[in-house]
Amino acid sequence: TFCRMNVAYVCEWEKRPKSNHYPSIPLVCAWSCRNLVAFTTDLKNEEDEKVSHMVHIIDTEHPWDVYSINSGHGEVISCLEWDQSGSRLLSADGDGQIKCWAMADHLVNSWESSLGSAEDGDPIIALSWLHNGVKLALHVEMSGSTNFGEKFSRVKFSPSLTLFGGKPMEGWLAVTVSGLVTVSLLKPNGQLLTASESLCRLRGRVALADIAFTGGGNIVVAATDGSSSSPVQFYKVCVSVVNEKCRIDTELLPSLFMRCTTDPVRRDKYPAVTHLKFLTRENSEQVLLCASSQMGSIVECWSLRKEGLPVNNIFQHRSPVVGEKQPTILKWRILSATNDLDRVSAVALPKLPISISNTDLKVASDTKFCPGLGLALAFHDGSIQILHRLSLHTMGVFYGSSSGSSQRPGDEPAIKRQRPGGPTVHFKALQFSWTSLALAGVDNHGKLHMIRVSPSMGQMLDMNTLLRHLLFLLEYCMVTGYDWWDVLLHVQPGMVHNLVEKLHEEYMRQNQALQQVLSTRIVAVKASLCKLSSATAARACDFHAKLLLIAISSTLKSLLRPHVLNTPDKSPGDRLAEICSKNTDTDIDKVMINLKTEEFVLDGPPLQSLQQLIQWVGDFVLYLMANLPNQGSVVRPGFGFLRDGWSLGMLREMMVMIRIWGLLKPGCLPIYTATSDNQDSMSLLFRLLTKLWLCSRDEGHPQEPDEPLIDECCLLPSQLLVPSMDWLPVNDGIICKLQGKHPLRLQFGKPYSLPGLNSTPQVEVFSRSPGVQRMDHLRCLYMGVCPTEDSKACTRCGCVTMLRSPNKTNAMKQWEQRWIKNCLCGGLWRRIPSTLS
């Protein structure tokens, strides 16, 4: 059985003698699609009583490595909002200041603000980036389909504002307390275009507001003055650019009164509207309202529907005009409402764009697929309830760590339990992850809680159904490019092998074009999965090596140019691959004869500067062949390549290319330490590599390497010095340590070492002795035993590289520019101290 919700880890602040973190009021939190979490606290210095309004940003894999920004806001921060790419963050405060934060040097623990706008003295209560027109629908009923295009369909959706050619224009929109809507547009030249307009002619106080988008490119704003007896107003906002000036047009839409105010029993019971949210940003026709008092709350879900307008009897008998339709009107109708609840402290809405058609909802119910169907309510007693987003019935309850247990299967959610005196720890901000499998909550002590949310909400599932649910969400992350960290929270070591195999099967069923687009992303997903189990850790090394191999191959092939100006049907790289796949000769020089060597003629400097990458390829081939006889019952790094005909073929191509370049510039050749002076090392390795490739090139019917080949490989260590390949370092992330039932206790600012928590012995390939040389995994350079250079590490795989480039040649700079924003695996970079690199 799986718990519906349980805490994965809690991260708290270190107690300081002269300053203290305490939550802002209101506390805000935001979770990006790259699994970066931003939240706010106020830092009060007890000496001078000054309060700094802080923004904290963490990546969920290294929550202790918090980047705290003294935001410079003059008032309490009221809104945080990530953009669609997860790389920029908006913050707004109670003085009308809006700031746009972006990564400095593309590092997740280094941020700076270069843009901003202001409505001086007018507090911001709602904030959103303009929509970029990209919307996907996730179809649960098609989860068994073999086609990704049927599972995840692109929905026709217009951007909020477009530039010439239909490109979406970037910018943001905010709503203020005085009833103003303000828009800031980012022009292509970097300038900011700002305009403000009143939501309606009679401006009034707006206590709560939310923003949604329509498929036609319009914006809908919901607003209320905070009283449950007042109407909730809706406005259509159209943004345009006329004569280089921003123009805002507003229009009043149908409004609604909460049902609880029309109920004689509850008319005065819940006087204040405390939460107002559209169910999703792309659906302006469903809204969630919460009215509260000091004692409790009630939640209502409303839907905007088109209804026929009744016609007066006078007009009933006139002859209808051909094609005339009955007039219709838009009306808000209540979908569902809860019973009386404890007092709500925070609301989180799902970000997974699950289709809510009747068929999809029925299949989701039958297969117990719950992600995206539930919204979360946090209460002042410290508990959290997951409610169905439409019916508002309870799907799961989390009782908080203070009650001792996060799961009480027999309890009814409405039962109220006695609490000890004093302020109860409760969540003041709550956010779902992008697959809705995790909740990030910040409590009233400023602690960050990471909570798993079961895909089936605790319902019993057979293993195949659970794997299918996780596979469905991993595929969704692959297609969208979103980070899959929150999916890994639910993967147990015993599931890893089946998930990797099923993911590969689904990938191979896609068309060739889509396979090419997802070729590196699927390798990165497999590597992340394999790290979760000690039995598959060596395969994780293979997948990371494959990512580097693909990158080096494409870089080296991109240097080739056709000899004649008129471009042939195939590039030199394609022709090289075709000839090498057809020519099974084990002699490297005979394979070279069939190539147009003039296409491989390059200047000396680029070749020499790429020698470190060429050396890695040469060392890797030697390592693979020397370890072929050692691959027994224990899976070692390199095992995955022995049956991977495609990767072995790529290595053959690069060996041929390097051999030709060696004739032009001998200094670029890989260096081997041989026991004999007349040993042709490259020719020997190519011969052995070709024999192994011939055994595995038919992936449907791979053959075992024959005895003569294994015997020759056994002799390799006596002929050539086999390098100790420096595989990726031990990933110091948290995901591998979260498979236990007990939450981890972490502290901001203190790297967490986990002695004794990992019950499995350290995998040999990941172990490091203190005196070993540190490796720059991107540049394939050694940095020394104690590097002094500032370095950065990947948040996902732990790959380490130097921040500043030691290279001056264009060829190597181009290689480095490919990884300036992201690692080989697609993960983000974070700065690490030189002692950790």
Side-chain angles (χ1 to χ4, degrees):
T1 60
F2 288 84
C3 291
R4 294 177 181 182
M5 287 177 278
N6 58 58
V7 178
Y9 62 73
V10 179
C11 212
E12 60 187 352
W13 295 101
E14 181 187 4
K15 302 297 181 186
R16 298 182 181 178
K18 293 186 178 180
S19 60
N20 185 33
H21 281 278
Y22 64 93
S24 312
I25 301 174
L27 181 69
V28 283
C29 174
W31 192 327
S32 82
C33 63
R34 306 299 299 273
N35 277 324
L36 300 177
V37 174
F39 63 101
T40 60
T41 62
D42 287 352
L43 185 63
K44 184 177 181 180
N45 192 309
E46 294 180 358
E47 287 186 343
D48 55 10
E49 296 294 319
K50 282 187 177 180
V51 176
S52 302
H53 305 290
M54 308 295 292
V55 177
H56 311 285
I57 300 173
I58 63 155
D59 77 276
T60 52
E61 180 70 337
H62 304 86
W64 56 84
D65 189 12
V66 62
Y67 186 74
S68 299
I69 310 166
N70 187 345
S71 64
H73 282 291
E75 293 291 335
V76 170
I77 298 170
S78 55
C79 301
L80 287 177
E81 192 71 29
W82 289 101
D83 71 348
Q84 288 90 344
S85 69
S87 58
R88 287 179 300 180
L89 178 72
L90 290 176
S91 62
D93 67 10
D95 193 36
Q97 299 284 330
I98 300 174
K99 295 192 175 187
C100 177
W101 303 90
M103 293 184 203
D105 300 322
H106 307 287
L107 300 170
V108 297
N109 51 1
S110 182
W111 295 77
E112 59 188 7
S113 173
S114 55
L115 289 170
S117 59
E119 287 293 328
D120 291 338
D122 203 354
I124 306 292
I125 55 168
L127 181 66
S128 175
W129 290 89
L130 297 180
H131 204 284
N132 62 0
V134 177
K135 184 187 176 186
L136 278 180
L138 185 139
H139 301 283
V140 184
E141 64 166 319
M142 304 303 294
S143 60
S145 170
T146 58
N147 187 350
F148 286 174
E150 294 175 354
K151 295 180 184 181
F152 321 108
S153 63
R154 179 80 180 261
V155 179
K156 189 176 180 182
F157 209 87
S158 298
S160 304
L161 191 63
T162 55
L163 294 164
F164 178 77
K167 182 183 178 183
M169 192 169 190
E170 294 183 319
W172 58 81
L173 175 136
V175 181
T176 70
V177 162
S178 69
L180 273 181
V181 57
T182 174
V183 174
S184 298
L185 303 177
L186 289 168
K187 295 172 72 175
N189 60 7
Q191 293 180 344
L192 208 59
L193 205 60
T194 305
S196 300
E197 186 61 59
S198 177
L199 279 171
C200 60
R201 289 182 181 178
L202 297 174
R203 280 174 67 183
R205 178 178 179 272
V206 179
L208 292 172
D210 199 23
I211 300 164
F213 302 92
T214 68
N218 295 321
I219 302 162
V220 177
V221 174
T224 174
D225 63 4
S227 170
S228 60
S229 58
S230 300
V232 178
Q233 303 276 10
F234 294 85
Y235 305 91
K236 183 171 79 172
V237 179
C238 300
V239 182
S240 56
V241 176
V242 180
N243 297 328
E244 292 295 314
K245 291 185 178 179
C246 181
R247 176 179 168 180
I248 304 172
D249 296 302
T250 61
E251 178 186 331
L252 191 62
L253 297 175
S255 57
L256 65 87
F257 281 91
M258 289 191 70
R259 173 179 275 188
C260 63
T261 60
T262 61
D263 184 348
V265 180
R266 293 178 172 139
R267 181 174 298 167
D268 301 317
K269 191 172 182 180
Y270 303 109
V273 180
T274 52
H275 297 89
L276 164 63
K277 299 275 186 185
F278 287 105
L279 280 183
T280 64
R281 278 290 163 93
E282 283 97 8
N283 186 353
S284 60
E285 298 177 355
Q286 289 179 335
V287 69
L288 188 82
L289 295 163
C290 175
S292 303
S293 66
Q294 289 297 321
M295 303 304 295
S297 299
I298 190 169
V299 175
E300 298 177 359
C301 184
W302 289 75
S303 178
L304 187 64
R305 294 180 180 174
K306 192 178 284 188
E307 297 182 357
L309 193 64
V311 181
N312 193 287
N313 290 335
I314 298 174
F315 303 103
Q316 290 282 0
H317 304 292
R318 73 181 183 87
S319 56
V321 180
V322 177
E324 186 180 28
K325 296 179 181 178
Q326 182 187 7
T328 57
I329 190 172
L330 290 171
K331 268 192 177 181
W332 285 100
R333 294 291 184 188
I334 191 163
L335 277 179
S336 51
T338 63
N339 296 322
D340 295 341
L341 302 168
D342 284 335
R343 190 175 164 204
V344 173
S345 60
V347 176
L349 295 170
K351 298 185 177 76
L352 195 69
I354 187 170
S355 170
I356 52 173
S357 68
N358 292 333
T359 313
D360 280 304
L361 289 176
K362 183 178 184 308
V363 173
S365 174
D366 292 344
T367 60
K368 301 180 176 62
F369 181 84
C370 298
L373 288 180
L375 57 92
L377 301 180
F379 298 94
H380 277 265
D381 66 354
S383 64
I384 297 174
Q385 285 189 28
I386 304 284
L387 307 182
H388 194 282
R389 60 192 278 184
L390 299 180
S391 65
L392 295 183
H393 71 255
T394 304
M395 299 170 70
V397 187
F398 169 77
Y399 289 105
S401 54
S402 57
S403 64
S405 172
S406 62
Q407 172 82 0
R408 299 186 181 187
D411 286 358
E412 289 296 324
I415 293 178
K416 294 184 180 179
R417 290 161 284 112
Q418 294 297 319
R419 291 285 183 180
T424 310
V425 174
H426 61 273
F427 294 103
K428 299 193 69 176
L430 207 59
Q431 276 277 315
F432 266 113
S433 68
W434 282 67
T435 61
S436 303
L437 290 184
L439 275 169
V442 186
D443 65 22
N444 51 336
H445 293 169
K447 295 179 184 177
L448 177 72
H449 300 248
M450 185 61 63
I451 301 169
R452 289 188 192 88
V453 181
S454 165
S456 62
M457 291 310 302
Q459 301 174 82
M460 287 294 292
L461 288 182
D462 63 274
M463 185 56 75
N464 284 335
T465 307
L466 177 60
L467 287 175
R468 193 163 70 242
H469 289 175
L470 295 176
L471 182 67
F472 189 42
L473 294 170
L474 284 172
E475 291 168 351
Y476 169 71
C477 292
M478 269 175 48
V479 170
T480 56
Y482 295 160
D483 198 286
W484 49 86
W485 181 88
D486 44 337
V487 183
L488 300 182
L489 280 175
H490 300 269
V491 177
Q492 296 298 312
M495 303 178 187
V496 170
H497 179 74
N498 286 337
L499 269 177
V500 170
E501 294 303 314
K502 289 179 182 293
L503 191 64
H504 182 73
E505 289 172 13
E506 291 297 318
Y507 169 78
M508 294 306 294
R509 289 173 181 157
Q510 308 311 308
N511 62 56
Q512 200 66 36
L514 186 56
Q515 282 189 29
Q516 192 170 354
V517 170
L518 302 177
S519 59
T520 53
R521 208 171 282 166
I522 187 174
V523 179
V525 174
K526 289 177 182 177
S528 298
L529 287 168
C530 288
K531 283 192 174 180
L532 301 179
S533 168
S534 58
T536 54
R539 294 189 67 189
C541 293
D542 289 352
F543 289 128
H544 282 295
K546 189 170 182 176
L547 285 171
L548 185 54
L549 182 64
I550 293 169
I552 293 176
S553 174
S554 61
T555 299
L556 297 185
K557 285 183 179 178
S558 68
L559 298 174
L560 306 179
R561 294 289 181 268
H563 181 58
V564 288
L565 288 178
N566 55 330
T567 308
D569 295 336
K570 292 182 180 178
S571 67
D574 292 336
R575 274 203 302 279
L576 171 67
E578 184 181 15
I579 290 170
C580 287
S581 65
K582 290 178 180 177
N583 193 325
T584 59
D585 205 306
T586 57
D587 188 337
I588 191 169
D589 295 320
K590 290 182 180 177
V591 177
M592 281 169 48
I593 294 171
N594 296 313
L595 291 168
K596 295 180 180 178
T597 50
E598 60 268 16
E599 293 179 342
F600 294 80
V601 175
L602 296 177
D603 295 331
L607 288 178
Q608 190 62 50
S609 64
L610 294 170
Q611 199 277 334
Q612 61 226 43
L613 302 182
I614 293 171
Q615 183 68 47
W616 184 88
V617 174
D619 287 348
F620 188 68
V621 173
L622 175 53
Y623 176 88
L624 280 184
M625 303 316 300
N627 279 274
L628 177 60
N630 299 332
Q631 297 292 354
S633 57
V634 179
V635 176
R636 296 175 180 274
F639 177 79
F641 284 92
L642 303 183
R643 295 177 181 272
D644 187 353
W646 183 79
S647 296
L648 295 174
M650 190 186 298
L651 285 169
R652 283 184 82 237
E653 295 164 21
M654 283 194 282
M655 292 286 279
V656 172
M657 216 173 355
I658 293 166
R659 180 73 162 195
I660 297 173
W661 286 341
L663 300 175
L664 305 171
K665 182 75 176 177
C668 75
L669 287 172
I671 299 168
Y672 298 104
T673 305
T675 55
S676 172
D677 292 338
N678 57 358
Q679 174 71 60
D680 188 348
S681 305
M682 282 202 72
S683 181
L684 171 64
L685 289 174
F686 184 83
R687 180 163 54 80
L688 298 177
L689 179 64
T690 301
K691 288 181 179 180
L692 181 60
W693 169 69
L694 289 172
C695 294
S696 57
R697 65 173 177 166
D698 184 2
E699 292 189 5
H701 303 88
Q703 301 171 9
E704 290 296 324
D706 55 16
E707 287 296 326
L709 173 58
I710 293 177
D711 290 343
E712 284 191 82
C713 291
C714 286
L715 293 174
L716 262 183
S718 63
Q719 296 171 308
L720 298 170
L721 181 64
V722 180
S724 57
M725 293 296 291
D726 190 345
W727 302 90
L728 288 178
V730 183
N731 190 358
D732 60 346
I734 202 80
I735 192 68
C736 299
K737 317 299 188 297
L738 296 178
Q739 291 159 357
K741 294 181 180 179
H742 300 289
L744 297 182
R745 298 285 170 180
L746 310 172
Q747 194 172 95
F748 289 119
K750 286 192 176 180
Y752 193 55
S753 57
L754 300 148
L757 280 178
N758 213 355
S759 57
T760 56
Q762 181 66 271
V763 182
E764 179 190 350
V765 72
F766 287 137
S767 60
R768 289 289 184 280
S769 58
V772 74
Q773 289 244 15
R774 307 298 180 189
M775 186 81 177
D776 183 323
H777 297 100
L778 274 187
R779 298 183 179 93
C780 302
L781 292 174
Y782 286 103
M783 298 190 293
V785 176
C786 297
T788 55
E789 282 290 320
D790 287 335
S791 302
K792 58 185 180 182
C794 173
T795 56
R796 184 183 290 164
C797 69
C799 173
V800 174
T801 188
M802 287 180 284
L803 265 177
R804 286 180 291 275
S805 171
N807 299 297
K808 295 181 180 179
T809 57
N810 289 334
M812 203 60 200
K813 282 184 177 178
Q814 287 169 7
W815 166 260
E816 292 166 353
Q817 284 296 317
R818 290 185 64 181
W819 320 115
I820 194 79
K821 289 185 179 180
N822 300 98
C823 174
L824 288 160
C825 68
L828 297 170
W829 296 112
R830 67 185 186 103
R831 183 194 295 267
I832 58 172
S834 55
T835 53
L836 293 179
S837 61

